[in-house]
Amino acid sequence: MVMAGKNLGCKGENSQPHNFGSWPWLFQMHGSKNKTCTFFDPEKNSLEERILPEFLQGKACLGCYGEWFLFADELTRECFFLSIISFSKIYIPCFPESPDFFHAVVSITSPPNTSNCIVILVPSRKTFLLVCSPGRKKWMKVPLKYFKKNNGSLYGPSIIYSERLFVMVDLTKTLVIDAAPLIRGRVKMASIMELRPCPIPYYWYTYLVERAGDLFLVLVHSYGHGQTITNVEVCRLELIGNDIHWRRVQDIGDHAFFLSGRCGRSLPANKAWGTQQNCIYLPVNYSDGVRLYKFCLDDQVLTFTFLPENNGGLGRLQWAFPTKIDFWRMKTVQENICNLSDVMRSKKNETDCTIFGKEDENEAVISGRWDEVPIELVELLFSRLSLVDCLRLPSVCKGWSKASRFIPKERVWPWLMHLPNRRYKACNFFDPLYCKEYTVKSDAVVVARDHLTFRYSKNGWVVVTEGNTRVFILNPFTGQVINLPPLPLKNYTFDGISFTSVPTSPDFVVYGFFFQRCGEFVEVSTWCPGEEEWTVLAFQPSIPFFPSSNNPVLFQGEFFCLGRKGELGVFNPELETWNVLCKPEPIYLSEPSYGVEYCYLLELNGDLVSVFRTEETKAPIRVFKLNQSEMVWEHLEHLTGMTLFVDRRNSIAITSPEKEFANRIYVPRFDGGMDSKKGMFYSMDDKRYHPNLHRVEEPLTCVWMEPNLCLHN
């Protein structure tokens, strides 16, 4: 990429690393403070550093078009294109004076050696564009009339597609502008597209990517300033007559998306490069190093690897791709996926719910009427079976489902419920203790598979949202579904959700909590079966409350919410009051940045317990128990025979079924393939993760839940 001379390498005489350009690489310019460029080889997970030629030292790489990379000097503001094939340079006008423009997004209409090349600078949080082209003497400032009538500013991500400029505005709108008139200072607005992403993640990044003639929008949701990725959504541009809009999709075909900065590119996936089709790759500078994330759209699983440590600073990471990319075409590889609807087709399933496991696949043929077996014998049978067999047994006949309430509690522990593939009507359940996975096939589990999110779980019931508007509660094992009325604000805006008891009980009530970002406004929405709409209670407390990303806990008849500093907010459903407790005193003296640390609240043997953890691989997990008599947090070094399962959607504590599982904190991740998955946990004994966070899989649509087969419990 950068090599215009011969003796430019730190190692040997090569001007660039061996195999550079043979597959996608990452490189990092270090600006005026360093004379080197760092090259990362994701396929081999290696790093090499090269001394830059003198004319590239102190330069920042702002973008590229094919083989042409655009560089700008942070001191002199000199700008030019450099070809990574011919090493020829093409100058454009010097960069504007404002240093903020070095962090802007650059869109380029065509190669700079063509007559119709236009360079468009999209500065973040501004209301104008900067436009120039090779041969021009200066940049042209082009105000956008849209902002005269509308509040807001440019967000940054932009792309040239079908001779039009697509640029994001305040995360929710996309301006579509004809590109050609911009060079004459004219703005011809084609249209404005509205996008309403899920409002629960308070931080997200957007990328515009073109793939084989289609335009895609990628939304990467993150948990606060910690940049921990919590969700990834993909939308495709659709034209229906004169109307253009974004539609969420689950497939990008045999391509892979490569994102960095605010730019993205699509390439055919290639096993020789170590890239996988229908996946998205994104490097993120994190507190413990540079992580290369991979998100698989097929199974909604997120993984990351650490790139080798780099001492050159935190410059902008850029992708460099093979220059002969048109010759790298891969045939679509279709995985041999078992169609769950064909499995056990001959068996009658009265609950419309079938469980498949890896073991016990031999079938026995038994004749007779199973519903004539005395219920006492069925109960005895339940007491001697494993939990998995207990879950299978009610499918024998309807009468046996009544005996499922006699499953011993010590045989029930949380499983991780997640969506294995959005194309199939099934959910996976991973047993983290014994490292086994089971599939539940049920039409009731997934009525519509588009954009489902698990929000909360209790007593075997799961709160699920479909898109941003529909909310329902289901029992994936019995197939029962309870639909909730339309949301108060027509979109899912709850910061937390919970309910009092199982949905089939007469005292069942759902509570949704919304906290304004300033911490000075709290809204609690309630719903009971039979009501047609939510009842909304609003509070303006005297003490601001900044909640952690964690659902409230029903404890001794009140809902407790954990704040980011460790303080507690309490809602009393009988008195309909909200209070921020003066005690316990916060664990933190100052307000930590949102998203830097995960905070969990759960009940443990009649006590409230708070858990604090970060995404750093070597940072310890801290556990505190609330001393109810003195109302202070007490630090716990051990869990005394207990096992915790923590997540922002649901956290559960149990008495460990076996000694080897005690004193562990399980997180919603696992390691290994389909036949050898291992649950990931933090040991309170040796204060470290098993296995390491490196390369583990994290299903983004998941929740901890305790199986419950009872129709009325």
Side-chain angles (χ1 to χ4, degrees):
M1 175 235 57
V2 291
M3 315 305 131
K6 293 184 178 180
N7 299 317
L8 307 175
C10 294
K11 301 176 183 179
E13 297 183 356
N14 292 329
S15 60
Q16 58 193 22
H18 180 63
N19 287 330
F20 179 75
S22 300
W23 48 74
W25 281 59
L26 282 163
F27 70 93
Q28 190 176 44
M29 305 284 290
H30 302 304
S32 59
K33 297 181 180 180
N34 203 310
K35 299 181 179 180
T36 63
C37 178
T38 303
F39 295 85
F40 299 95
D41 182 353
E43 199 272 333
K44 295 182 178 180
N45 197 34
S46 62
L47 172 150
E48 294 188 39
E49 195 162 329
R50 289 290 186 267
I51 296 177
L52 292 168
E54 191 171 329
F55 74 92
L56 279 179
Q57 293 179 8
K59 306 298 189 294
C61 182
L62 304 181
C64 66
Y65 190 101
E67 68 184 77
W68 294 93
F69 283 75
L70 179 62
F71 292 94
D73 191 295
E74 297 182 17
L75 299 178
T76 66
R77 297 181 287 110
E78 179 188 52
C79 293
F80 59 87
F81 283 96
L82 175 69
S83 168
I84 64 173
I85 296 179
S86 64
F87 299 121
S88 58
K89 295 167 63 177
I90 296 178
Y91 285 89
I92 61 174
C94 287
F95 218 54
E97 293 184 5
S98 174
D100 294 338
F101 296 154
F102 279 90
H103 304 286
V105 176
V106 176
S107 293
I108 306 167
T109 60
S110 60
N113 56 354
T114 61
S115 59
N116 57 347
C117 173
I118 303 175
V119 183
I120 304 171
L121 196 69
V122 184
S124 183
R125 305 303 178 188
K126 304 295 182 181
T127 59
F128 58 86
L129 303 173
L130 292 171
V131 182
C132 80
S133 63
R136 293 264 177 167
K137 294 183 179 180
K138 65 179 181 178
W139 291 80
M140 180 182 298
K141 184 177 179 180
V142 182
L144 296 178
K145 296 180 179 179
Y146 167 83
F147 295 110
K148 291 184 178 181
K149 299 180 179 179
N150 301 275
N151 295 325
S153 60
L154 295 172
Y155 174 61
S158 64
I159 194 172
I160 299 294
Y161 171 73
S162 188
E163 299 182 351
R164 291 175 175 177
L165 174 70
F166 288 73
V167 59
M168 296 295 297
V169 176
D170 293 334
L171 299 174
T172 59
K173 296 182 180 66
T174 308
L175 300 184
V176 186
I177 305 169
D178 288 343
L182 287 175
I183 197 63
R184 299 188 298 274
R186 295 174 51 195
V187 177
K188 183 179 179 182
M189 192 79 68
S191 62
I192 303 172
M193 293 187 297
E194 189 95 16
L195 176 71
R196 296 190 179 276
C198 179
I200 283 299
Y202 310 122
Y203 302 89
W204 60 87
Y205 304 95
T206 56
Y207 302 85
L208 294 165
V209 185
E210 183 178 1
R211 186 221 66 181
D214 290 324
L215 183 62
F216 290 83
L217 173 67
V218 181
L219 297 111
V220 180
H221 302 280
S222 69
Y223 175 50
H225 299 295
Q227 297 185 330
T228 302
I229 295 176
T230 59
N231 194 20
V232 179
E233 298 180 67
V234 180
C235 304
R236 184 176 62 203
L237 183 70
E238 288 196 347
L239 271 67
I240 303 178
N242 294 326
D243 180 38
I244 58 177
H245 63 276
W246 296 111
R247 185 177 71 85
R248 286 183 172 87
V249 295
Q250 308 299 329
D251 200 323
I252 57 175
D254 61 352
H255 279 55
F257 287 176
F258 298 85
L259 313 177
S260 64
R262 285 293 184 270
C263 304
R265 185 169 175 183
S266 172
L267 296 178
N270 191 324
K271 287 187 176 181
W273 301 342
T275 58
Q276 182 179 340
Q277 68 178 26
N278 209 30
C279 288
I280 297 172
Y281 296 84
L282 171 65
V284 176
N285 276 315
Y286 205 75
S287 56
D288 55 357
V290 179
R291 298 181 178 188
L292 178 58
Y293 282 96
K294 183 184 81 169
F295 177 70
C296 180
L297 285 163
D298 283 332
D299 54 15
Q300 301 292 300
V301 167
L302 182 73
T303 58
F304 73 84
T305 58
F306 281 109
L307 295 180
E309 291 189 11
N310 162 33
N311 297 321
L314 297 178
R316 181 184 298 193
L317 285 162
Q318 298 277 357
W319 286 101
F321 302 99
T323 56
K324 302 298 182 181
I325 192 65
D326 291 339
F327 297 100
W328 293 86
R329 296 292 178 181
M330 297 293 295
K331 296 181 179 179
T332 302
V333 179
Q334 298 292 341
E335 297 182 359
N336 184 18
I337 303 176
C338 177
N339 188 345
L340 298 177
S341 63
D342 294 334
V343 181
M344 299 178 69
R345 180 179 293 174
S346 61
K347 289 191 174 184
K348 182 179 180 180
N349 183 1
E350 298 188 21
T351 63
D352 194 28
C353 178
T354 306
I355 300 175
F356 309 98
K358 300 296 182 182
E359 293 85 24
D360 304 329
E361 296 180 352
N362 295 328
E363 299 180 12
V365 179
I366 304 176
S367 60
R369 292 179 57 84
W370 292 108
D371 56 357
E372 295 178 354
V373 176
I375 192 65
E376 294 79 9
L377 292 179
V378 178
E379 294 173 8
L380 180 62
L381 184 60
F382 266 93
S383 67
R384 295 179 177 272
L385 291 177
S386 67
L387 177 59
V388 174
D389 289 330
C390 289
L391 296 176
R392 290 174 173 150
L393 211 58
S395 63
V396 175
C397 67
K398 189 173 183 179
W400 285 24
S401 62
K402 298 178 181 179
S404 60
R405 69 186 64 186
F406 298 103
I407 300 176
K409 289 186 177 180
E410 59 270 16
R411 299 196 180 188
V412 180
W413 51 82
W415 287 358
L416 187 64
M417 176 181 176
H418 64 101
L419 296 178
N421 192 310
R422 296 195 177 190
R423 301 172 185 170
Y424 297 94
K425 296 181 178 180
C427 281
N428 275 9
F429 290 83
F430 176 65
D431 178 353
L433 302 188
Y434 293 98
C435 304
K436 297 178 182 179
E437 187 159 74
Y438 308 94
T439 297
V440 170
K441 173 186 174 292
S442 172
D443 292 336
V445 170
V446 184
V447 179
R449 294 304 300 270
D450 285 342
H451 191 49
L452 290 182
T453 304
F454 300 146
R455 302 291 183 179
Y456 176 66
S457 178
K458 183 177 181 179
N459 297 124
W461 294 80
V462 182
V463 179
V464 186
T465 56
E466 178 189 342
N468 297 326
T469 56
R470 182 182 177 227
V471 185
F472 59 97
I473 304 176
L474 66 90
N475 185 323
F477 296 104
T478 64
Q480 293 170 285
V481 175
I482 295 177
N483 290 300
L484 275 61
L487 293 163
L489 297 178
K490 309 303 180 184
N491 275 309
Y492 190 90
T493 57
F494 294 147
D495 295 289
I497 192 169
S498 184
F499 48 82
T500 54
S501 56
V502 294
T504 52
S505 65
D507 59 345
F508 170 71
V509 185
V510 182
Y511 292 86
F513 293 76
F514 168 76
F515 299 91
Q516 199 174 50
R517 300 285 74 81
C518 64
E520 298 177 354
F521 179 80
V522 180
E523 197 172 81
V524 181
S525 301
T526 67
W527 177 81
C528 300
E531 296 180 349
E532 296 183 356
E533 60 183 16
W534 295 78
T535 300
V536 180
L537 306 172
F539 305 95
Q540 288 185 303
S542 57
I543 303 176
F545 183 78
F546 300 93
S548 61
S549 182
N550 187 58
N551 281 316
V553 174
L554 182 59
F555 179 71
Q556 297 179 354
E558 296 180 306
F559 287 98
F560 284 75
C561 300
L562 181 65
R564 290 178 228 161
K565 294 192 296 183
E567 70 273 41
L568 291 174
V570 182
F571 173 73
N572 188 307
E574 290 189 6
L575 302 178
E576 295 184 346
T577 58
W578 167 264
N579 293 292
V580 179
L581 302 183
C582 296
K583 290 186 176 183
E585 294 183 356
I587 296 172
Y588 292 102
L589 296 178
S590 60
E591 186 77 32
S593 297
Y594 181 72
V596 171
E597 193 167 32
Y598 286 106
C599 313
Y600 311 108
L601 186 68
L602 64 156
E603 182 178 356
L604 174 62
N605 285 340
D607 291 309
L608 281 178
V609 171
S610 59
V611 181
F612 297 83
R613 79 172 184 92
T614 71
E615 278 291 288
E616 294 186 15
T617 55
K618 297 181 180 180
I621 291 182
R622 300 189 301 158
V623 182
F624 299 86
K625 183 183 75 172
L626 180 63
N627 183 325
Q628 298 180 57
S629 60
E630 300 181 10
M631 289 301 290
V632 295
W633 289 115
E634 296 179 343
H635 186 258
L636 297 181
E637 291 290 343
H638 298 278
L639 300 177
T640 60
M642 304 298 292
T643 305
L644 306 186
F645 303 80
V646 298
D647 181 49
R648 57 191 173 87
R649 288 154 286 226
N650 190 32
S651 296
I652 305 171
I654 65 167
T655 300
S656 180
E658 294 186 24
K659 185 178 180 180
E660 63 176 297
F661 304 129
N663 222 30
R664 293 180 178 180
I665 301 176
Y666 282 87
V667 295
R669 299 180 184 182
F670 40 73
D671 178 37
M674 290 299 295
D675 298 324
S676 60
K677 285 184 178 178
K678 296 180 180 179
M680 182 178 178
F681 63 89
Y682 178 85
S683 172
M684 294 289 286
D685 293 323
D686 59 16
K687 309 299 182 185
R688 64 187 184 93
Y689 287 97
H690 302 266
N692 193 282
L693 283 169
H694 187 63
R695 294 184 182 273
V696 295
E697 298 180 5
E698 179 185 4
L700 295 186
T701 303
C702 67
V703 67
W704 290 117
M705 64 93 66
E706 296 176 284
N708 181 3
L709 276 173
C710 300
L711 294 175
H712 304 290
N713 285 305

